[in-house]
């Protein structure tokens, strides 16, 4: 049975897809069987890993029951991918039948034994897609940029997490808050780190020891259809993401 990790923050531009790609690449390099699930209608995860997301079946087809998940999963250099595209943007209105919160969980049941880790990249919103990710997830990683508005997005996630725990998934755990684009020389970055620690305490979690430093390689990697770990393996962000992966693996322990 695989461990399912959702990468989430309702604020955009905080590095959710970059983090998802890095976890997939790093875990695969360690020999794990990995699946990336793109729940963002922008399709960034598949696009960043070089897939032609506009001319393939997607998670939308799976969730509406038009195709089986094994028909839709595609291979990439960083592991298997269940892609997404703009068609998924109608999910809030289209997926309106009872039990819609369990669509992704039901779909993944067919393949959970085929993987060690499933990484779910969520949209920058708290909607039915995000809830689907929380319902199936064992753990959440919350990336944030060292900015006040990004911090606000993290604090607003708590109500959704509490609702999902109460109604759908009592085992859901927040693995930690991840600071992206971090530069400890900046006063604001250090101040946000302190505030992130306070929010982490409210979520009964922590701020990861790993802080992902800024580098142009993070922006360049998607243009080459790669994760920063494969595009620039010696870069500071790649080093930071490897540290993060070590922390996450220790969280799950031998039960997975």
């Amino acid at each position: 049975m695989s461990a399912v990790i959702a990468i989430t923050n309702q604020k955009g531009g905080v590095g959710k897809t970059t983090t998802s790609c890095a976890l997939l690449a790093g875990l695969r390099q360690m020999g794990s069987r990995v699946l990336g699930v793109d729940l963002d209608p922008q399709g960034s995860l598949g696009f960043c890993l070089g897939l032609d997301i506009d001319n393939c079946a997607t998670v939308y087809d799976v969730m509406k029951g038009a195709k089986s998940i094994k028909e839709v999963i595609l291979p990439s250099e960083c592991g298997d991918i269940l892609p997404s595209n703009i068609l998924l943007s109608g999910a809030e209105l289209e997926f309106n039948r009872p039990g819609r919160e369990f669509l992704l969980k039901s779909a993944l049941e067919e393949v959970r034994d085929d993987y060690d880790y499933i990484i779910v990249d969520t949209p920058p919103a708290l909607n039915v897609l995000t809830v689907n990710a929380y319902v199936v997830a064992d753990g959440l990683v919350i990336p944030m940029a060292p900015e006040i508005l990004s911090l606000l997005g993290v604090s607003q996630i708590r109500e959704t997490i509490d609702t999902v725990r109460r109604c759908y998934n009592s085992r859901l755990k927040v693995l930690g808050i991840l600071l992206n684009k971090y530069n400890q020389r900046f006063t604001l970055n250090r101040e946000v780190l302190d505030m992130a620690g306070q929010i982490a305490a409210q979520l009964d979690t922590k701020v990861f020891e790993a802080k992902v430093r800024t580098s142009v390689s993070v922006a360049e990697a998607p243009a080459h259809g790669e994760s920063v770990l494969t595009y620039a393996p010696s870069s500071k962000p790649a080093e930071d993401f490897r540290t993060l992966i070590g922390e996450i693996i220790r969280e799950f322990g031998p039960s997975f």
Side-chain angles (χ1 to χ4, degrees):
M1 180 68 74
S2 54
V4 181
I5 302 168
I7 314 302
T8 183
N9 190 328
Q10 71 179 75
K11 177 77 169 58
V14 298
K16 290 190 294 294
T17 300
T18 298
T19 301
S20 299
C21 290
L23 291 183
L24 289 167
L27 289 165
R28 182 168 185 174
Q29 288 174 350
M30 296 172 67
S32 296
R33 302 167 299 165
V34 294
L35 171 66
V37 177
D38 195 349
L39 279 190
D40 188 345
Q42 296 178 81
S44 299
L45 181 62
F47 176 81
C48 289
L49 295 178
L51 301 183
D52 183 4
I53 62 170
D54 293 324
N55 295 290
C56 66
T58 68
V59 65
Y60 169 75
D61 297 292
V62 176
M63 293 178 76
K64 73 175 185 176
K67 289 185 177 293
S68 73
I69 190 168
K70 290 186 177 180
E71 291 180 277
V72 177
I73 289 174
L74 297 173
S76 81
E77 290 298 319
C78 293
D80 289 348
I81 305 295
L82 182 57
S84 172
N85 62 27
I86 195 63
L87 292 175
L88 192 59
S89 60
E92 193 72 32
L93 295 176
E94 186 169 351
F95 301 149
N96 55 15
R97 63 184 184 271
R100 66 181 190 157
E101 298 87 1
F102 295 91
L103 291 172
L104 182 63
K105 182 177 182 179
S106 297
L108 288 176
E109 286 299 323
E110 187 178 350
V111 298
R112 280 198 67 165
D113 289 340
D114 297 338
Y115 298 99
D116 300 306
Y117 292 93
I118 297 176
I119 308 298
V120 185
D121 189 18
T122 64
L126 295 177
N127 57 21
V128 67
L129 296 173
T130 306
V131 170
N132 264 263
Y134 289 10
V135 168
V136 73
D138 299 297
L140 304 178
V141 172
I142 306 177
M144 59 170 287
E147 304 164 355
I148 297 300
L149 289 179
S150 178
L151 197 67
L152 178 62
V154 173
S155 66
Q156 293 171 340
I157 289 176
R158 181 179 179 180
E159 183 177 347
T160 302
I161 293 173
D162 288 344
T163 298
V164 170
R165 281 176 175 159
R166 186 172 63 253
C167 300
Y168 307 117
N169 180 6
S170 60
R171 75 182 186 284
L172 181 63
K173 179 180 181 180
V174 182
L175 300 177
I177 294 173
L178 172 67
L179 283 176
N180 272 323
K181 307 175 185 178
Y182 187 73
N183 189 332
Q184 64 178 357
R185 293 176 297 176
F186 295 161
T187 300
L188 178 60
N189 283 210
R190 298 195 299 271
E191 291 175 347
V192 169
L193 174 58
D194 290 338
M195 289 184 282
Q198 297 171 23
I199 291 178
Q202 295 172 16
L203 293 172
D204 192 25
T205 190
K206 65 184 180 184
V207 178
F208 285 111
E209 289 296 323
K211 314 289 189 297
V212 182
R213 290 165 285 183
T214 56
S215 170
V216 68
S217 59
V218 174
E220 291 174 345
H224 297 267
E226 295 187 52
S227 158
V228 67
L229 268 74
T230 56
Y231 174 72
S234 299
S235 65
K236 291 179 179 178
E239 176 185 332
D240 299 332
F241 277 123
R242 283 190 288 267
T243 301
L244 171 67
I245 290 168
E247 291 187 68
I248 290 174
I249 290 174
R250 288 193 293 274
E251 283 285 340
F252 283 105
S255 60
F256 284 89

